[in-house]
Amino acid sequence: MSKAKQRCLWLTWMILFAVSLPLVYIADPPRNHSIWSVAMVAAVFLITALFSFKVQGTDIIVLQGIGLAAFLIFGLFIEVLLTQFGILVYLINQRLSKQDTYRIPMNSIMFLGVSVSAAAVYYALGGQAEISHQDFLPLSLIPVVGFYLAAYIVNEVFIYFYHRWLIADETARLFTKDMAWEIVVTFLMMPLGLAFYFMYLSRGITGMFMISVPMIALSVIMRLVNNSQELIRFLQQVNHLGQKLTEELSVEHVINLLFEKIPVMTPLDYLYIISYRQPDKPKLLRIFRRDDEKNFVPFQQEADPSQEVYRLAKAVSGYKSHEIYPFLKALSSGKARSFLAVPMMYHGQVLGVLTVASNRPKAYTKTNRIGMEIIGDFLAIALENAKNFEKKREESEHCPLTDLYNYRYMMRHLDQMFKDESLDTFSIIMMDIDDFKQVNDTYGHQNGNAILIGVANRLRKTVGDKGIVARYGGEEFTVLLPKMDRNMCFAIAESIRIAVVSEPFMVYLEKEKRYKQVHITISLGTSTARSEASAPAALINNADFAMYSGAKRKGKNRVSRFV
């Protein structure tokens, strides 16, 4: 929500309460307001607000039920004050961030509207302010139902307007599939309110105390059950994410998946990973900021909690602004109020540190800590697996001597080029070092390998990102050139020939203990698809034929096109 809307909301709240409270007092003044009875009900509001719980994603506060009792016993004015008190306690207990403090006036206005609307409907349907418990149900059942129905409708309308206009959520709907469940929850509160009221009518404060104890006990039990269910659900999500992470075979995919899922599972505004594979040079792998700020903050090990996590090999957390490390403070522009950093353990070693942080104070519970520690370990395993896989794939696709792509990779890529119907034109260059056997026989295979590495380096430098350079086998090399016609291919082949022949190569003469310059030449043949070939083998044979018939047999050190 924009700051202008928040200021408008606070202003509306102040004006509304300044005007409405006196009117409510005049319309339905307090009754039965002994200090002890009000204190008893206020205590129930306080405790039930502290022990709210969720059912099907809906926040359940038992004070929604005793609001009716407070209204019937003390009148609307006291009920409004007690409800506002309970909502304020509930919101404070939610550990709102500074940016979310607008929820206080918003919820306050909403529940003021709920209280006034419900009371108005109750009286409109014939409900009476004071009535004996013998006559209450026959005369007031319909007004009580109207009380809850009005409270529910006004509550839903306020929520709809909040999503639609205050935070501009275009997907917000007034009627959703969760309505049925929310109606059931609302009316489940009705017996609690009636029971509380009847106990007050029959036993006074003693009766209120007798009904309060089981209501509070129920809230506490439901909260504990709810917490254990949330822990189970969170650990199930963690386990599912861990399995997904370890299935990924790319480091980038592992990190992408983590940064996609964690912000949904855990309350956070900042997320980043520090790699400690080189402990003396820790590296920031990736960072996430919910507000998408772009300010650059250089990573400094001593200013980040990861250093302590790495040293202790256990999680570290902070819950106050002064406990936030300088790097995290700069990263969040001073907004972060709590953080949790966990080690990424692999075979007893800390390979990295995963850190989450929030603008909310005390955002991370024991449940979050347990889950994040498990995720950290899964992440370390997944990254190691992915690195090993990428290393093996790299080795399987590259020539160990020249580090160029090998024949297997070249053939697979050439086959893909033929299958790609969007690729109209592409070419190949086949090349062979002239008289390479003589080089080996004269200077030895060690120097022959040095020549191969030197030629590979010049190929790599000359072709750059215009094509794929591969070692075909022995002293033969290949270049694949996507989107290159026969003229462009010939020009690149000629530049390769010049790059090889223009500068001598160095060989080491072991017996003479000195280096010697050796001039090397290459012969090249080119062919272009799809005009000259319709299959990989045909394209290679064409270029190979051009190289031997048009270049080798005509004096070597030249480029020949397939005709």
Side-chain angles (χ1 to χ4, degrees):
M1 184 186 293
S2 67
K3 290 185 177 178
K5 286 184 177 179
Q6 291 187 30
R7 285 194 290 269
C8 182
L9 196 59
W10 278 104
L11 182 63
T12 303
W13 174 76
M14 286 188 288
I15 295 174
L16 193 61
F17 269 79
V19 173
S20 62
L21 282 182
L23 295 177
V24 169
Y25 185 90
I26 295 170
D28 195 1
R31 54 182 178 270
N32 305 318
H33 54 287
S34 73
I35 186 67
W36 292 112
S37 59
V38 173
M40 171 66 73
V41 178
V44 176
F45 268 82
L46 171 67
I47 297 172
T48 53
L50 290 175
F51 289 94
S52 64
F53 52 90
K54 288 181 181 292
V55 177
Q56 295 284 330
T58 301
D59 277 324
I60 305 298
I61 316 173
V62 179
L63 64 84
Q64 294 170 337
I66 59 176
L68 171 70
F71 166 68
L72 294 173
I73 297 170
F74 305 117
L76 179 59
F77 183 77
I78 298 294
E79 189 271 338
V80 166
L81 295 181
L82 290 173
T83 300
Q84 295 294 320
F85 168 68
I87 291 301
L88 182 61
V89 171
Y90 167 75
L91 290 173
I92 292 174
N93 193 42
Q94 295 299 303
R95 301 165 186 166
L96 297 180
S97 66
K98 187 177 179 181
Q99 290 76 15
D100 290 336
T101 51
Y102 71 89
R103 290 178 59 189
I104 293 175
M106 187 194 71
N107 281 275
S108 180
I109 293 172
M110 182 175 76
F111 278 93
L112 175 64
V114 168
S115 294
V116 172
S117 303
V121 170
Y122 175 82
Y123 288 126
L125 293 176
Q128 298 179 25
E130 293 181 285
I131 189 170
S132 66
H133 66 278
Q134 292 90 349
D135 298 329
F136 180 76
L137 278 181
L139 298 177
S140 301
L141 184 58
I142 293 177
V144 166
V145 173
F147 179 95
Y148 278 102
L149 190 60
Y152 169 77
I153 293 173
V154 172
N155 183 70
E156 291 299 312
V157 170
F158 263 98
I159 291 174
Y160 171 75
F161 283 128
Y162 160 71
H163 285 284
R164 193 75 181 186
W165 288 335
L166 291 181
I167 62 174
D169 181 5
E170 297 294 332
T171 63
R173 297 288 182 273
L174 185 57
F175 301 101
T176 66
K177 61 182 181 181
D178 295 328
M179 282 190 66
W181 169 250
E182 291 168 3
I183 290 173
V184 170
V185 170
T186 299
F187 281 93
L188 282 175
M189 297 294 106
M190 190 168 71
L192 291 176
L194 291 175
F196 198 96
Y197 181 59
F198 276 115
M199 290 299 290
Y200 167 76
L201 291 178
S202 59
R203 299 292 183 90
I205 294 180
T206 304
M208 292 166 67
F209 179 78
M210 291 172 64
I211 190 66
S212 297
V213 171
M215 287 177 66
I216 293 171
L218 176 64
S219 291
V220 174
I221 292 170
M222 291 299 294
R223 176 67 175 264
L224 293 175
V225 171
N226 188 245
N227 287 346
S228 65
Q229 289 179 337
E230 283 190 354
L231 174 61
I232 292 171
R233 280 196 295 270
F234 183 63
L235 292 180
Q236 286 175 336
Q237 290 178 329
V238 167
N239 184 52
H240 182 70
L241 173 60
Q243 291 178 7
K244 290 289 184 184
L245 287 174
T246 52
E247 289 173 0
E248 293 291 342
L249 298 177
S250 156
V251 171
E252 185 177 359
H253 288 173
V254 168
I255 297 177
N256 285 345
L257 180 62
L258 181 84
F259 276 66
E260 175 190 340
K261 298 295 183 183
I262 292 292
V264 179
M265 295 168 52
T266 307
L268 63 84
D269 296 290
Y270 314 94
L271 164 66
Y272 58 93
I273 302 173
I274 305 295
S275 171
Y276 272 84
R277 291 182 69 84
Q278 295 180 292
D280 55 334
K281 295 180 180 177
K283 181 181 177 184
L284 177 62
L285 293 184
R286 190 179 294 185
I287 191 166
F288 165 84
R289 286 183 279 194
R290 194 176 293 281
D291 54 9
D292 203 27
E293 288 189 8
K294 301 297 183 185
N295 63 315
F296 172 73
V297 180
F299 174 70
Q300 292 183 331
Q301 182 182 10
E302 62 276 9
D304 187 67
S306 64
Q307 185 181 40
E308 188 174 355
V309 174
Y310 175 78
R311 184 171 57 83
L312 301 175
K314 68 177 185 180
V316 172
S317 59
Y319 298 107
K320 299 175 183 176
S321 59
H322 68 267
E323 293 177 342
I324 304 299
Y325 286 73
F327 173 72
L328 186 52
K329 185 174 286 185
L331 194 71
S332 65
S333 300
K335 298 176 184 174
R337 292 291 179 271
S338 55
F339 74 91
L340 173 62
V342 298
M344 295 157 53
M345 302 293 295
Y346 184 77
H347 287 178
Q349 290 186 330
V350 181
L351 297 185
V353 176
L354 177 65
T355 301
V356 294
S358 172
N359 294 338
R360 289 170 46 197
K362 299 183 181 180
Y364 301 107
T365 62
K366 186 178 179 181
T367 299
N368 296 122
R369 183 173 182 139
I370 294 171
M372 291 303 296
E373 285 176 334
I374 296 172
I375 290 174
D377 291 345
F378 270 124
L379 179 60
I381 295 169
L383 289 176
E384 282 302 296
N385 289 345
K387 284 181 185 295
N388 290 334
F389 177 80
E390 288 180 347
K391 183 179 179 181
K392 289 179 180 177
R393 185 179 63 184
E394 182 85 2
E395 291 173 350
S396 71
E397 292 177 344
H398 282 75
C399 164
L401 178 65
T402 62
D403 200 33
L404 294 177
Y405 287 113
N406 58 21
Y407 171 81
R408 179 191 305 167
Y409 179 85
M410 186 276 292
M411 288 302 297
R412 187 167 68 245
H413 201 83
L414 182 59
D415 190 53
Q416 290 172 353
M417 292 169 75
F418 269 96
K419 291 178 179 177
D420 184 358
E421 295 181 356
S422 66
L423 197 60
D424 295 329
T425 302
F426 53 94
S427 300
I428 189 171
I429 303 172
M430 295 291 295
M431 65 197 82
D432 183 89
I433 299 176
D434 296 328
D435 303 318
F436 188 70
K437 183 176 184 303
Q438 187 177 344
V439 172
N440 274 335
D441 292 344
T442 304
Y443 302 109
H445 287 85
Q446 194 70 22
N447 282 316
N449 287 341
I451 297 292
L452 290 173
I453 294 171
V455 170
N457 290 337
R458 296 188 190 186
L459 282 173
R460 194 183 289 114
K461 184 177 180 181
T462 304
V463 176
D465 58 0
K466 293 188 287 292
I468 297 167
V469 183
R471 185 182 179 192
Y472 192 77
E475 67 272 27
E476 290 186 316
F477 297 89
T478 309
V479 178
L480 298 180
L481 296 166
K483 301 180 181 178
M484 294 277 184
D485 61 21
R486 64 198 311 265
N487 292 332
M488 297 167 71
C489 176
F490 184 87
I492 291 176
E494 182 62 16
S495 64
I496 291 172
R497 187 191 68 77
I498 293 172
V500 172
V501 76
S502 59
E503 296 285 338
F505 292 81
M506 300 296 289
V507 297
Y508 183 70
L509 304 179
E510 182 67 31
K511 291 182 179 178
E512 301 175 20
K513 305 296 182 186
R514 68 179 179 86
Y515 284 94
K516 179 184 178 182
Q517 293 184 344
V518 176
H519 289 274
I520 297 295
T521 62
I522 58 172
S523 296
L524 306 94
T526 69
S527 182
T528 300
R530 304 181 187 265
S531 57
E532 297 170 358
S534 57
L539 188 67
I540 291 172
N541 289 337
N542 291 345
D544 201 48
F545 177 78
M547 179 180 70
Y548 279 102
S549 63
K552 291 279 187 185
R553 292 176 186 170
K554 292 183 179 179
K556 304 174 185 175
N557 188 25
R558 65 184 62 199
V559 179
S560 175
R561 291 171 172 165
F562 174 75
V563 179

